[in-house]
Amino acid sequence: MSSGQGQDRVLDLCLRAGDLMLKHGAETSRVEETIVRVGRASGAKLVHSFVTPTGIFISVGAAGAEKTGLIRIRTTSAINLYKVHEVNDLSRRFERGQLTIDEMFDRLNAIDAAPPHYRIRYQHVAAAISSGAFTMLFGGGWSEFLIGSVCGWLSNTTMESMFEHVPRFLRVFIAALVGVLVAALSVKSGFSSNLEAAVIGAVIPLVPGLSLTNAIRDLMAGELLSGVARASEATLTAFAIAVAVALVLSFISVGVEVAP
């Protein structure tokens, strides 16, 4: 890089790529790797990055003439691993010299503006089917499959309808409360007989699988701060689900049939 303006563009490019990956569900080790790849492919002699689940700090340039920037990540709830893959693939093509910096900016903006790879209604249908499947896996029958599908759809829809308007802990709690309440009422009314399976179906879409997976991957990669932070997020999410289930079951007395 020959000028401060060039350093600014490289810094903005690195921040843009890292921001897109982190807010769409990438683990911090992958984000840092991508930032370094993009910075060096842009001509930066030195590229340092420090990524946490809520912020990205980057320094690029040459010894004694570095530019530093940071960006605050407001939310990481819009999980879209397809966009993570797209940015990662784009960085590798940029590293091979197949794209210019201007083309990188254009492609990143296009990825950010693109709609979800799967429409939201298909995501709700997938949540319903997977919830119903889990009820049968835990000993339920076709009636539990139907109830689990409906409750899983309700939980997922409730979660999405409150996106970014309330804290994640409360979103998970309210969504679990709605799904489990319907499941418990269905058992109490006699439509279903296996409360355990119905409740599992209601909360399956809310289970923090990606947060827990990323926490383990970050810890194994030596990213202790990010790993502990993501593990704490997963724990709080699981706690919100447990509180919702306990509240519903404490107010609605139903017989529980546990699968053998």
Side-chain angles (χ1 to χ4, degrees):
M1 293 177 296
S2 59
S3 67
Q5 185 178 3
Q7 288 183 344
D8 288 337
R9 282 182 60 77
V10 173
L11 184 61
D12 289 342
L13 182 62
C14 292
L15 287 171
R16 184 66 169 147
D19 174 46
L20 277 176
M21 294 190 73
L22 191 60
K23 75 180 183 181
H24 286 299
E27 66 274 21
T28 55
S29 56
R30 184 190 297 266
V31 176
E32 290 181 344
E33 177 187 348
T34 300
I35 288 172
V36 172
R37 182 184 301 118
V38 170
R40 289 178 177 170
S42 301
K45 295 182 179 179
L46 296 176
V47 183
H48 302 289
S49 67
F50 178 68
V51 179
T52 72
T54 56
I56 300 175
F57 306 83
I58 303 175
S59 177
V60 300
E66 296 183 47
K67 289 276 188 177
T68 302
L70 63 90
I71 188 169
R72 174 86 161 125
I73 307 299
R74 295 294 178 183
T75 176
T76 56
S77 298
I79 304 302
N80 192 328
L81 296 182
Y82 181 77
K83 289 191 176 184
V84 173
H85 162 72
E86 287 284 291
V87 176
N88 188 58
D89 181 66
L90 202 62
S91 70
R92 295 182 185 279
R93 292 172 57 194
F94 182 58
E95 185 180 33
R96 292 193 295 266
Q98 298 175 356
L99 298 169
T100 65
I101 291 183
D102 289 334
E103 289 174 333
M104 276 290 290
F105 273 113
D106 292 339
R107 298 289 181 88
L108 290 174
N109 290 334
I111 291 173
D112 190 27
H117 190 60
Y118 298 103
R119 296 182 179 180
I120 190 66
R121 61 174 176 267
Y122 296 146
Q123 296 178 33
H124 292 326
V125 170
I129 294 174
S130 62
S131 296
F134 269 95
T135 62
M136 301 192 77
L137 184 64
F138 283 88
W142 286 108
S143 61
E144 284 77 25
F145 177 88
L146 179 59
I147 289 299
S149 297
V150 172
C151 294
W153 176 83
L154 279 173
S155 297
N156 200 61
T157 303
T158 303
M159 184 75 175
E160 290 293 333
S161 66
M162 295 183 294
F163 181 64
E164 289 187 346
H165 295 294
V166 291
R168 178 175 174 79
F169 179 86
L170 289 180
R171 294 203 307 271
V172 172
F173 172 75
I174 294 172
L177 199 66
V178 171
V180 175
L181 180 61
V182 174
L185 288 175
S186 70
V187 175
K188 190 174 180 63
S189 64
F191 187 82
S192 173
S193 60
N194 191 332
L195 178 65
E196 180 185 89
V199 168
I200 289 173
V203 302
I204 278 296
L206 308 175
V207 174
L210 184 62
S211 295
L212 187 58
T213 300
N214 283 346
I216 294 173
R217 293 190 65 172
D218 283 338
L219 288 172
M220 293 180 66
E223 301 285 351
L224 300 183
L225 179 61
S226 296
V228 171
R230 292 187 186 275
S232 299
E233 178 187 1
T235 301
L236 283 175
T237 302
F239 179 71
I241 295 172
V243 171
V245 173
L247 279 177
V248 171
L249 297 186
S250 65
F251 283 102
I252 298 180
S253 176
V254 293
V256 179
E257 178 187 323
V258 179

